[in-house]
Amino acid sequence: MRADTSETDPVSLLRSEAEQRASMITVTSMRVDLDLTSATLEGAAGELFASTTTIDFRATPGGRTFLDFKGRRLISATLNGTALPAESWRNGRIELTGLAEANTVVVSGEMAYSSDGEGLHRHVDPADGHTYLYAMSFLDAAPRWFACFDQPDLKSPYAFEVTAPEEWTVIGNGPAEKVGPGRWRIVQERPLSTYFVTLVAGPYASVRHRHDGIELGFHVRASLGEQLQAEAKDLIEVTSQAFDYYHRTFGVRYPFGEYHQAFVPDFNAGAMENPGCITIRDQLIYRSRATTAQRAGRAGLIAHEMAHQWFGDLVTMTWWDDLWLNESFAEYVAHRCCTDATRYPLWMEFGIRKDWGRIADQAPSTHPVAGNGSADAQAALQDFDGISYAKGAAVLRQLVAYLGDDVFLGGLKDYFARHAYGNAEFADLIAAWTRAGAVDLDRWAANWLRTSGLDTLAVADGAVRRIAPADHPADRTHAIEVARLDEGGAVAERTRIQLAGTPHPALSRSKGLIVPDAADETWAKIAFDGGDWPRLTAVIGGITDPAIRLVVFNAARDAVRDAALDPAEALRLILAALPAETEDVVWEAMARFARTELTGPYCPPAERAARQAELHRVTLAAMAAAAAGSDRQLLAFRAAIPTAADPELLRGWLGGETLPAGLELDQDLSWGLVSRLSELTGDAGLIEERLAADRSALAEQHAARARAALPTAEAKAAAWELLLRPSTGSAYQVYATAEGFFRPDQDELAADYVRRYFDEIGATAGFRTGWALGRTAELAYPYLAVSEEILALAEQTLAGDGLADPLRRALIDGTDRLRRAVAARRRFG
């Protein structure tokens, strides 16, 4: 049999189909043979590779089911030695009928390398021309590189036979053995779900280490090999400490053998938890100077993906609506791990990151943490957001306060023991905690995990009260601290309370301010009285407790988005706080919020220049006040570049003549200066000159972003073609173009494109899919075009039919952001 294409486009797997398939078959082994020797060829010859899959499975005799295959061409397919007809392949599925009790299906096909970070991704490094591959199978991309029964609860051991260029390294989910010239064998005897099967192949540079009997590997493109050597000590230390912590905490040793971390190009997510072979975006192997806060964030990511080896890989959710069992747990325990076991305490970063979840939980697209009932796999992908991560982790922190550590961890150990190498549902975890001593968990879960929205904690009439959202009412109890600040911002009193439906008497308000959730422990909005904001601005520099400052900052961000706080007042608060802020991760986040929001969509265009100039002044002062060579100096310099309006200042920095002592221009700082200069002056030659000096993949992204930001009609037209038309550019180049397109102070130049965005974005589903489709639409959303007219146009677009799910989600969230800015401008001018 030989068929060139599936008859129609692949369809998303329905939950009902997955349940039916799982009820009738059991996969016993997967053997995949790949020929990747074409990867280094140019043109059409380098677009395809050969993939042959042999699957042994047991089935209900006489039954019928289907296999998932999304290749470019099906060469042959046999079931129990009998060839299947060509017409059995359609909609990305191969029909299997007349099943026996024991079956073997063999599928051979030509598959296409991808450029969108899903399936088997191919990247040619512009630094040296070398080719690199990695596989991303999440969420339903596995059939793009091998045939399989693609759903989380059909696990199997895997064996890979890979033919590749002889000089390449090949790694995967199990130990890789080179069995001949250019021939590799990888075996993982532990059962794996299809969505975390991976392969990494190419002339990667590597560092290896052994810790506690576990072989560790760190891999990166050859052009970043020197940088990997510089980062290896920190990577090994964090990885080793995290393993020790999880072994102590979970009572179950890491079960998948070797542990590789491959830092790969063009990666869409931060990382992917493939057992034994984590894939991570390679920007985290820093080619320019990195701050301690950046390395702390990387440590959190390493600990997060390692936590998945237990949450998600050892025990896997049965269906996608329990995705939070993976992400929320990994998010929560990673922050615990780094704070308790490494030199990177992360609870302040946790508090900053919660804002991502609060935005999602207040948007029209909000959903419960657990039990979303996703009808199909692609619908589940739309709930892969800040609720699954940040909110779920914050709710788990409250659960630990409710249960206590002994019950919480005891239930987890029970859960791992009962469901190891299999699948489970949320009810199984509830049962494990109950066996460990928890009571009334169903009620707790119904309010915190199965109900959308977040409460507001407010101080009024001498009491702290909980206000449930009207559209998502729930009965939640918050275990929090309440603090009273004196007139200088110092903590005068602090107490712990259990806040439920009845207002709780607050601390004395005779002097100072009351701050609910002073330790940033719960999931809620904090509402201050309107009159409290000027007082908070006056004392913010004197608040010595960083958690209280963080609570105030997050409350300000929520209040701005709710049109409850004048953005000009919020900017005054942040500018007053930045000189005294001690936490770099908080300083950077609030300076970014001030620039991207308070001098952006929440600022009338006539006032943008003045507000940006004031922010620039504060960043310059922070740079001058910081010690030479310090992280704060570097953070302030980074923040000063995009707020600068004086080309001569930027030229002086770029030339090195006026660069402050302690700072050295590296590649990324140079790109920041060139990008801002070209945006101000329209000089495209600066971009090409810098690109000629930096032949790297990251440089191509910087260049794409800078070209899109050029203030010329020609630059906008060229960028629009890359965004809204099929192209050969990588997904990262498209994302960078989207980030650079709509810029402050280019309203007139971009006005026509604002309307074209809503007219044309729907058609991009014809040539993009999955992550790349939604991400491009999200990044390109014209959120600076704040007007009633554009809001009406956005809502009209959403009211129409035919938008692909990733596009609809991106437009729902983008329009919510626009709607909030319109409301704030309507109220505050």
Side-chain angles (χ1 to χ4, degrees), residues 151-289:
Q151 59 189 73
D153 58 341
L154 288 178
K155 288 184 166 184
S156 170
Y158 276 77
F160 276 84
E161 299 281 348
V162 181
T163 303
E166 190 170 348
E167 68 276 13
W168 278 19
T169 294
V170 177
I171 57 176
N173 297 100
E177 177 187 5
K178 193 168 187 178
V179 295
R183 189 71 176 166
W184 297 77
R185 180 172 173 79
I186 300 172
V187 177
Q188 177 53 261
E189 295 180 353
R190 303 295 194 183
L192 305 178
S193 294
T194 49
Y195 79 89
F196 48 58
V197 175
T198 194
L199 188 81
V200 176
Y204 282 88
S206 301
V207 169
R208 296 178 184 268
H209 184 76
R210 188 175 180 87
H211 175 74
D212 192 21
I214 303 170
E215 293 291 333
L216 307 180
F218 306 87
H219 313 273
V220 74
R221 286 177 289 155
S223 62
L224 289 174
E226 183 178 337
Q227 288 81 359
L228 175 61
Q229 292 292 333
E231 297 295 326
K233 181 180 178 181
D234 187 57
L235 295 170
I236 290 169
E237 177 183 283
V238 169
T239 301
S240 300
Q241 290 169 334
F243 264 128
D244 293 344
Y245 178 84
Y246 290 139
H247 287 160
R248 290 193 307 268
T249 302
F250 297 152
V252 178
R253 279 189 61 82
Y254 168 69
F256 296 106
E258 296 181 359
Y259 193 76
H260 296 274
Q261 294 173 74
F263 295 82
V264 297
D266 304 332
F267 199 67
N268 282 320
M272 180 63 199
E273 65 267 21
N274 317 301
C277 186
I278 311 303
T279 41
I280 306 172
R281 58 172 56 195
D282 64 4
Q283 291 97 321
L284 294 177
I285 299 298
Y286 307 116
R287 66 177 198 149
S288 299
R289 181 180 158 195

Side-chain angles (χ1 to χ4, degrees), residues 538-558:
V539 305
I540 190 71
I543 298 176
T544 57
D545 186 327
I548 292 178
R549 294 196 304 271
L550 178 59
V551 168
V552 172
F553 288 141
N554 282 337
R557 292 198 280 188
D558 280 323

Side-chain angles (χ1 to χ4, degrees), residues 316-335:
T316 307
M317 73 260 163
T318 300
W319 181 247
W320 296 111
D321 63 347
D322 275 328
L323 181 67
W324 78 280
L325 290 175
N326 292 11
E327 301 304 343
S328 301
F329 277 93
E331 186 85 350
Y332 169 67
V333 300
H335 282 82

Side-chain angles (χ1 to χ4, degrees), residues 731-747:
Y732 266 38
Q733 289 173 320
V734 174
Y735 300 157
T737 301
E739 290 172 329
F741 194 89
F742 290 109
R743 306 296 298 166
D745 306 320
Q746 294 182 0
D747 294 349

Side-chain angles (χ1 to χ4, degrees), residues 1-19:
M1 175 179 66
R2 190 179 187 93
D4 285 343
T5 58
S6 179
E7 187 169 301
T8 58
D9 291 335
V11 296
S12 184
L13 179 69
L14 297 175
R15 179 174 189 160
S16 58
E17 292 175 321
E19 290 172 345

